[in-house]
Amino acid sequence: MSAYIVEGGNPLDGSVRVHGAKNSVLPILAACLLSPEECVIHNCPDLSDVTASLDILRHLGCRVARQGEMVTVDAGAPTGWDVPDNLMREMRSSVIFLGAVLGRMGRADLCAPGGCELGPRPIDLHLAAIRAMGAQIDESGGGLHCTGPLSGADIVLSIPSVGATENIMLAAAAARGTTTITNAAREPEIVDLQTFLRQLGADVRGAGSSVIVIRGGQALHGGEHTVIGDRIVAATYLTAAAAAGGQVEVTGVDYRHLSTVTAVLKEAGCAVKSGPDRVFLHSAPLRGVRPVRTAPYPGFPTDAQAPLMAALARGSGCTVFVENMFESRYRHVDELSRMGADIRVEGRVAVVYGVPRLHAAQVKASDLRGGAALVVAALGAEGESRITGLHHIDRGYQDLEGALSGLGARIRRV
Ligand code: EPZ
């Protein structure tokens, strides 16, 4: 089992470019299924979740080719409508294929994605919306057997779910008639998906606001798209610099997409400057900040909660975190405590008491962002830490050790 060996205590210095956004490219790859012509995706990151998505597209009969950060998908003659169980389990977010497969093929067979390390991951909003669009969904035997045809509908989401919003956009682009999504998710990744769908000739408007309107049934063609930079990877690099000390410039990301994170890092004592496609952070001894409450975009992103907590674990003062998005997203706390962190968890609340020093430890990642948090903490800890469970981290970070080593971190993969 591979592991990271991190020698803490070395300040970071330099500039690093973030890779394309995982949570943008996954629905965009699913959207390629809607077009009968070739799609070219640039700035596609090399992540295990992306590899799983490309495997699903191949399984469905698409021609897929990858050259570095460029991926081409030709869904000219798809042959399948089932997402195999092994691939569904490999990538929980593969439920995002439901709308696209059903929209293109008129039917879709998936197994229920089940929970993950963050707790139960219900898809009731996805299914209710697809049913409202006319689909028949048989959930017997733990699978999802869906049949169309799909018609436009007015959908009101009780939660601004990112995945449900994306699934509805994809199904609606192929449906007959107009679909309105009220209380839609407003994440930048939703806007990026709209940009790509419009590139294919779909009539989608309103992404980034709470109301998205899709006029379905347009004849779609091929398209080319460059995926936005990953705001959570950018936030992770910045929290690493905050934890290790030093100064780092992160490029290739819209600074507005992580402004809630940079605001907290500023409040904690760092100097932060932003430019259109970059953020510069000069670290300083960290102090506690006002409560950090995770929320749907543009609120504080739940995916940045663990890396930020890891940085604030070493410093002065106290910070209260409230994790409002997922039931169990504090699995990194026990591992941080093994490094000397002083954190108390009560349900959705975690209270972080800054300590002057963290010490190296052998720790294990149990989810994607919690694993990144362990790397952040190890960079600021005294001594040599060993981090296992790297398959979690590989889902969302392309060559994390290479990016951090380029900034002067002593981290290697063994
Ligand atoms: C997306 O997950 C992201 N994943 C997550 O990133 C991110 O944490 C999350 O959005 C919130 O921003 C991808 O984009 C691939 P939701 P998603 O539907 O779509 C509940 C990472 O680390 N809910 O917005 O699954 C749900 O349980 C990952 O990159 C329902 O109850 O998130 C959660 O409590 C982790 N019923 C809340 O809504 C539903 O049908 C928000 O979930 C759907 C969701």
Side-chain angles (χ1 to χ4, degrees):
M1 172 168 56
S2 60
Y4 281 149
I5 303 297
V6 180
E7 176 66 41
N10 302 286
L12 304 189
D13 188 7
S15 180
V16 61
R17 182 173 182 78
V18 300
H19 54 67
K22 167 177 86 79
N23 293 349
S24 184
V25 75
L26 296 181
I28 283 174
L29 288 172
C32 291
L33 207 52
L34 294 173
S35 167
E37 296 175 5
E38 184 176 85
C39 296
V40 181
I41 310 298
H42 298 282
N43 202 26
C44 181
D46 182 13
L47 305 168
S48 52
D49 270 10
V50 170
T51 303
S53 295
L54 299 182
D55 289 344
I56 291 171
L57 287 169
R58 287 190 186 95
H59 175 84
L60 296 172
C62 301
R63 287 210 343 270
V64 175
R66 161 153 230 167
Q67 285 164 299
E69 296 183 338
M70 184 179 82
V71 163
T72 54
V73 178
D74 182 342
T79 53
W81 54 81
D82 70 310
V83 179
D85 286 14
N86 63 312
L87 290 178
M88 274 300 280
R89 295 188 194 292
E90 199 172 310
M91 185 181 73
R92 192 225 149 262
S93 43
S94 40
V95 69
I96 195 58
F97 276 88
L98 171 59
V101 174
L102 189 54
R104 179 70 191 273
M105 307 303 288
R107 55 191 299 189
D109 285 342
L110 292 73
C111 75
C116 75
E117 311 80 15
L118 308 184
R121 297 292 290 275
I123 57 169
D124 55 311
L125 300 178
H126 299 240
L127 300 183
I130 298 290
R131 281 194 170 104
M133 296 174 74
Q136 302 295 316
I137 302 180
D138 169 8
E139 296 181 60
S140 60
L144 298 171
H145 309 286
C146 314
T147 49
L150 295 172
S151 308
D154 289 336
I155 311 283
V156 179
L157 290 174
S158 55
I159 300 172
S161 156
V162 171
T165 300
E166 292 163 346
N167 246 331
I168 299 164
M169 289 167 74
L170 296 176
R176 251 196 319 280
T178 297
T179 296
T180 303
I181 309 172
T182 303
N183 196 24
R186 298 166 52 190
E187 273 71 1
E189 293 78 27
I190 305 282
V191 178
D192 209 27
L193 177 60
Q194 171 177 280
T195 304
F196 178 59
L197 287 170
R198 291 175 66 86
Q199 177 77 348
L200 301 183
D203 182 346
V204 188
R205 321 154 189 264
S209 79
S210 295
V211 180
I212 301 176
V213 180
I214 305 102
R215 211 159 52 82
Q218 312 294 317
L220 301 187
H221 46 72
E224 195 148 0
H225 181 72
T226 299
V227 176
I228 58 172
D230 194 308
R231 59 193 169 102
I232 305 302
V233 170
T236 306
Y237 292 158
L238 293 173
T239 54
Q247 51 191 19
V248 160
E249 179 190 55
V250 177
T251 63
V253 67
D254 183 330
Y255 76 96
R256 294 167 299 179
H257 293 171
L258 58 158
S259 53
T260 48
V261 178
T262 49
V264 173
L265 289 169
K266 234 182 244 176
E267 188 186 342
C270 299
V272 178
K273 279 200 306 254
S274 300
D277 68 341
R278 63 195 60 222
V279 178
F280 177 80
L281 179 140
H282 192 155
S283 186
L286 300 180
R287 51 179 183 259
V289 296
R290 285 189 302 270
V292 176
R293 297 179 178 84
T294 65
Y297 195 83
F300 188 92
T302 173
D303 296 346
Q305 174 255 109
L308 175 69
M309 181 185 288
L312 294 179
R314 182 169 75 101
S316 59
C318 162
T319 299
V320 172
F321 283 82
V322 186
E323 175 50 66
N324 294 309
M325 302 303 289
F326 289 106
E327 266 176 30
S328 85
R329 202 162 197 177
Y330 288 136
R331 297 174 59 149
H332 47 283
V333 169
D334 287 349
E335 299 303 286
L336 291 175
S337 304
R338 290 164 59 85
M339 301 172 88
D342 182 0
I343 305 171
R344 318 283 165 81
V345 174
E346 292 278 337
R348 287 183 178 270
V349 175
V351 183
V352 179
Y353 297 91
V355 294
R357 270 176 303 288
L358 291 178
H359 54 76
Q362 304 220 10
V363 289
K364 185 173 172 43
S366 51
D367 64 80
L368 166 55
R369 307 301 174 183
L374 300 182
V375 175
V376 167
L379 291 170
E382 291 167 359
E384 186 176 89
S385 297
R386 182 184 180 85
I387 302 167
T388 53
L390 300 194
H391 62 283
H392 291 293
I393 299 176
D394 291 342
R395 286 188 43 226
Y397 293 88
Q398 173 182 311
D399 189 19
L400 182 59
E401 63 273 19
L404 293 173
S405 302
L407 295 171
R410 293 212 188 119
I411 176 172
R412 65 185 196 280
R413 192 179 192 123
V414 296

